[in-house]
Coordinates of all heavy atoms in Angstrom, one line a residue:
V211 N 105.2 85.9 95.0 CA 105.3 86.8 93.9 C 106.6 87.4 93.9 O 107.2 87.8 94.9 CB 104.2 87.9 94.0 CG1 104.3 89.0 93.0 CG2 102.8 87.3 94.0
Q212 N 107.2 87.6 92.7 CA 108.5 88.3 92.6 C 108.6 89.1 91.3 O 107.7 89.0 90.4 CB 109.7 87.3 92.7 CG 109.7 86.3 91.6 CD 110.8 85.3 91.8 OE1 111.4 85.2 92.8 NE2 111.0 84.5 90.7
E213 N 109.5 90.0 91.2 CA 109.8 90.8 90.1 C 108.5 91.6 89.6 O 108.2 91.7 88.5 CB 110.3 90.0 88.9 CG 111.6 89.4 89.2 CD 112.2 88.5 88.1 OE1 111.7 88.7 87.0 OE2 113.2 87.8 88.3
V214 N 107.9 92.3 90.6 CA 106.8 93.2 90.3 C 107.2 94.6 90.7 O 108.2 94.8 91.4 CB 105.5 92.8 91.0 CG1 105.0 91.5 90.5 CG2 105.6 92.8 92.5
T215 N 106.5 95.6 90.2 CA 106.7 96.9 90.6 C 105.5 97.5 91.3 O 104.3 97.2 90.9 CB 107.0 97.8 89.3 OG1 108.1 97.3 88.7 CG2 107.2 99.3 89.7
I216 N 105.7 98.2 92.4 CA 104.6 98.8 93.1 C 104.8 100.3 93.0 O 105.9 100.8 93.0 CB 104.5 98.4 94.6 CG1 105.7 98.7 95.4 CG2 104.1 96.9 94.7 CD1 105.6 98.5 96.9
A217 N 103.7 101.1 92.8 CA 103.8 102.5 92.6 C 102.7 103.3 93.2 O 101.6 102.8 93.3 CB 103.9 102.8 91.1
S218 N 103.0 104.5 93.7 CA 102.0 105.4 94.3 C 102.7 106.7 94.5 O 103.7 107.0 93.9 CB 101.5 104.8 95.6 OG 100.4 105.5 96.1
N219 N 102.1 107.5 95.4 CA 102.7 108.8 95.8 C 102.8 108.7 97.3 O 101.8 108.2 98.0 CB 101.8 109.9 95.3 CG 102.4 111.3 95.7 OD1 102.3 111.7 96.8 ND2 103.1 111.8 94.7
L220 N 103.9 109.2 97.9 CA 104.1 109.2 99.3 C 102.9 109.8 100.1 O 102.4 109.2 101.1 CB 105.4 109.8 99.7 CG 106.6 109.1 99.4 CD1 107.9 109.9 99.7 CD2 106.7 107.7 100.1
K221 N 102.4 110.9 99.6 CA 101.3 111.6 100.3 C 100.1 110.6 100.3 O 99.4 110.4 101.4 CB 100.9 112.9 99.6 CG 99.7 113.6 100.2 CD 99.4 114.9 99.4 CE 97.9 114.9 99.2 NZ 97.5 115.7 98.2
D222 N 99.8 110.0 99.2 CA 98.6 109.1 99.1 C 98.9 107.8 100.0 O 98.0 107.3 100.7 CB 98.4 108.6 97.7 CG 98.0 109.8 96.8 OD1 97.4 110.7 97.3 OD2 98.2 109.7 95.6
M223 N 100.1 107.4 100.1 CA 100.5 106.2 100.9 C 100.3 106.5 102.4 O 99.7 105.8 103.1 CB 101.9 105.8 100.6 CG 102.1 105.2 99.2 SD 103.8 105.0 98.7 CE 104.3 103.7 99.8
F224 N 100.8 107.7 102.8 CA 100.6 108.0 104.2 C 99.2 108.3 104.6 O 98.7 107.8 105.7 CB 101.5 109.3 104.6 CG 102.9 109.0 104.7 CD1 103.8 109.8 104.0 CD2 103.4 108.0 105.5 CE1 105.2 109.5 104.0 CE2 104.8 107.7 105.5 CZ 105.7 108.5 104.8
L225 N 98.4 108.9 103.7 CA 97.0 109.1 103.9 C 96.2 107.8 103.9 O 95.1 107.7 104.4 CB 96.4 110.1 102.9 CG 96.8 111.6 103.1 CD1 96.4 112.4 102.0 CD2 96.3 112.1 104.4
G226 N 96.8 106.8 103.2 CA 96.1 105.5 103.0 C 96.5 104.5 103.9 O 96.2 103.3 103.7
I227 N 97.1 104.8 105.0 CA 97.4 103.8 106.1 C 96.1 103.4 106.8 O 95.5 104.2 107.4 CB 98.5 104.3 107.1 CG1 99.8 104.5 106.4 CG2 98.6 103.3 108.3 CD1 100.9 105.2 107.3
E228 N 95.7 102.2 106.6 CA 94.5 101.7 107.2 C 94.7 101.0 108.5 O 93.8 101.1 109.4 CB 93.8 100.7 106.2 CG 93.3 101.4 105.0 CD 92.4 100.5 104.2 OE1 92.1 99.4 104.6 OE2 91.9 101.0 103.1
A229 N 95.9 100.4 108.7 CA 96.1 99.8 110.0 C 97.6 99.5 110.1 O 98.3 99.3 109.1 CB 95.4 98.4 110.1
V230 N 98.1 99.4 111.4 CA 99.5 99.0 111.7 C 99.4 97.8 112.6 O 98.6 97.9 113.6 CB 100.3 100.2 112.3 CG1 101.7 99.7 112.7 CG2 100.3 101.4 111.4
G231 N 100.1 96.8 112.3 CA 100.0 95.6 113.0 C 100.8 95.6 114.3 O 101.6 96.4 114.5
K232 N 100.4 94.6 115.2 CA 101.1 94.5 116.5 C 102.4 93.6 116.3 O 103.1 93.4 117.3 CB 100.2 94.0 117.5 CG 99.7 92.6 117.3 CD 98.7 92.2 118.4 CE 98.1 90.8 118.2 NZ 97.2 90.5 119.3
D233 N 102.7 93.2 115.1 CA 103.9 92.3 114.8 C 105.1 93.2 114.6 O 105.7 93.2 113.6 CB 103.6 91.4 113.6 CG 103.3 92.2 112.4 OD1 102.7 93.3 112.5 OD2 103.6 91.8 111.3
V234 N 105.5 93.9 115.7 CA 106.6 94.9 115.6 C 107.9 94.2 115.3 O 108.3 93.3 115.9 CB 106.7 95.7 116.9 CG1 107.8 96.7 116.8 CG2 105.3 96.5 117.0
V235 N 108.6 94.8 114.3 CA 110.0 94.4 113.9 C 110.9 95.6 114.2 O 110.5 96.7 113.8 CB 110.1 93.9 112.5 CG1 111.5 93.7 112.0 CG2 109.2 92.7 112.2
V236 N 112.0 95.4 114.8 CA 113.0 96.5 115.1 C 114.1 96.3 114.1 O 114.7 95.3 114.0 CB 113.5 96.4 116.5 CG1 114.6 97.5 116.7 CG2 112.4 96.5 117.5
R237 N 114.4 97.4 113.3 CA 115.5 97.5 112.4 C 116.3 98.7 112.8 O 115.9 99.8 112.5 CB 115.0 97.6 111.0 CG 114.1 96.4 110.5 CD 114.7 95.8 109.3 NE 114.1 94.5 109.0 CZ 113.1 94.2 108.2 NH1 112.6 95.2 107.5 NH2 112.7 93.0 108.0

């Protein structure tokens, strides 16, 4: 998929974290 827009609110996004994977990437 390309050229799409995703939208939300940061508060809702942080409250909506369901899981964090163990596939850690360091940037």
